[in-house]
Amino acid sequence: MKVAVLRFPGTNCEFDTQYAFEKLGHTTKLVWHEEMTLPEDIDLVVVPGGFSYGDYLRSGSIARFSPVMKAVSKYANDGGKVLGICNGFQILTEAGLLPGALKRNNNLHFISKHQNLCVINNDNAFLNQCEAGEVLNIPIAHADGNYYIDDEGFKKLEENGQILLRYSDENGNPVVVNGSVTSIAGVCNENKNVFGLMPHPERALEAILGSEDGIRMLKGFEA
Amino acid sequence: MTAIVNVFLKEGVLDPQGKAAHHALDSLGFEGVSDVRIGKQIVIKLDTDDKSKAEAEVKEMCETLLANTVIEDYTIEIV
């Protein structure tokens, strides 16, 4: 698989993301935000975590106007797979490629810890290696991870199986971590080719780091 | 001309910063505060003297970048 990993001023998870996909045997290419086009023959675009443009106005709000995002929108609208992790998730919602928005955490803290997540829907490229109801352990590190969507939007998400992950306890029961609507940690678009989540699967690939659960998430794209 | 843009979280969208300030005011003994909302003010200097043109332009700025209309409302004042 050929993976393009975007890079904005302030991105800081691009090398972790590269490492993760290369560990799984894929080739990766870093793409600077000023590029007008994406590399040819790619199978996946990853918008990694970090603090694009310092998150000065709102997280992801300025990055979404970078030249490369036009190419990403076109790629996504043509059916290409896009994964946004943390700041990448924020950028994809700001760009309108994913529904909803990410607000400041309810407790106003930057939350950095290992977190259990419950797999809600696995009928998609991202989570097809996981079981629905399965509990995964993946680190989170964010200040603006409080997912918001209005009632109508939420209904659509539920009906279409677009809710991918919820923050949970070790038994899969939802827990309040940052104030997200119904504890949502990750969603996809209606066509199920654009995925976004606040947790960092690329940081959960080695037992020595506390979890290998991120492997199956990223492996899902191979199928 | 100067445009003063106020951006606030929509009514019904929980404002964690406002809530924290409200709690702090309560604990400092300020009584009778029923709600606190915290937003941001953006002051934009414009070259034009045409008020309606300025207003239209700033509205576009808000819709495009300055506010996330999924969660935020904004007001524009031209002075």
Side-chain angles (χ1 to χ4, degrees):
Chain A
M1 205 165 70
K2 243 174 109 179
V3 184
V5 179
L6 305 191
R7 202 177 187 199
F8 302 89
T11 297
N12 63 14
C13 295
E14 68 271 51
F15 299 120
D16 295 26
T17 306
Q18 249 193 326
Y19 174 84
F21 281 100
E22 282 176 10
K23 185 182 158 80
L24 298 177
H26 306 300
T27 53
T28 60
K29 189 157 199 294
L30 284 181
V31 181
W32 183 235
H33 71 118
E34 284 176 338
E35 296 290 334
M36 307 289 283
T37 54
L38 291 165
E40 275 177 31
D41 306 327
I42 47 166
D43 303 289
L44 175 69
V45 172
V46 183
V47 193
F51 297 86
S52 56
Y53 294 88
D55 285 350
Y56 293 142
L57 179 66
R58 287 183 312 276
S59 299
S61 62
I62 299 177
R64 81 103 144 169
F65 290 105
S66 281
V68 76
M69 285 306 294
K70 258 197 194 138
V72 172
S73 286
K74 188 178 181 307
Y75 180 76
N77 291 332
D78 290 346
K81 292 191 202 94
V82 180
L83 170 67
I85 301 168
C86 201
N87 191 230
F89 184 16
Q90 294 158 344
I91 295 169
L92 294 178
T93 59
E94 284 282 343
L97 289 171
L98 286 171
L102 280 314
K103 292 198 305 160
R104 183 63 40 91
N105 295 341
N106 266 6
N107 62 8
L108 300 171
H109 295 177
F110 186 97
I111 306 170
S112 177
K113 60 173 186 173
H114 272 268
Q115 174 62 47
N116 288 314
L117 302 170
C118 184
V119 175
I120 307 300
N121 282 295
N122 67 346
D123 59 341
N124 55 72
F126 181 41
L127 296 177
N128 59 44
Q129 306 283 307
C130 307
E131 301 291 329
E134 186 180 349
V135 175
L136 305 171
N137 183 285
I138 306 278
I140 56 170
H142 58 246
D144 298 321
N146 183 349
Y147 184 75
Y148 176 84
I149 190 158
D150 62 17
D151 293 344
E152 201 184 317
F154 176 75
K155 237 175 94 184
K156 266 195 205 157
L157 283 188
E158 247 192 343
E159 281 166 11
N160 298 335
Q162 289 171 249
I163 299 171
L164 302 181
L165 298 158
R166 283 198 168 101
Y167 303 109
S168 76
D169 62 17
E170 66 272 21
N171 299 315
N173 303 308
V175 293
V176 176
V177 167
N178 52 25
S180 286
V181 168
T182 68
S183 298
I184 287 173
V187 298
C188 64
N189 66 341
E190 217 175 314
N191 293 333
K192 301 195 179 181
N193 64 316
V194 182
F195 306 88
L197 78 166
M198 287 313 296
H200 286 269
E202 81 282 12
R203 294 184 191 172
L205 286 133
E206 274 154 15
I208 197 169
L209 296 176
S211 170
E212 296 176 302
D213 290 349
I215 292 177
R216 273 175 302 147
M217 283 188 171
L218 303 184
K219 262 190 170 294
F221 289 113
E222 293 172 18
Chain B
M1 290 193 128
T2 301
I4 299 172
V5 177
N6 283 302
V7 182
F8 282 91
L9 284 167
K10 284 182 175 174
E11 286 293 328
V13 176
L14 180 77
D15 170 10
Q17 258 185 304
K19 216 175 158 191
H22 191 179
H23 280 307
L25 289 173
D26 276 347
S27 57
L28 287 169
F30 291 100
E31 287 169 13
V33 179
S34 59
D35 192 28
V36 179
R37 310 279 291 173
I38 294 181
K40 55 191 151 200
Q41 189 170 72
I42 304 164
V43 179
I44 303 167
K45 297 234 187 277
L46 298 154
D47 291 334
T48 181
D49 287 326
D50 183 336
K51 194 176 171 186
S52 62
K53 194 179 152 207
E55 210 161 58
E57 204 161 50
V58 174
K59 186 171 190 293
E60 205 184 326
M61 291 178 197
C62 289
E63 294 284 332
T64 310
L65 175 73
L66 300 178
N68 178 344
T69 55
V70 175
I71 47 174
E72 292 171 329
D73 283 330
Y74 61 87
T75 58
I76 300 168
E77 195 193 340
I78 307 284
V79 291

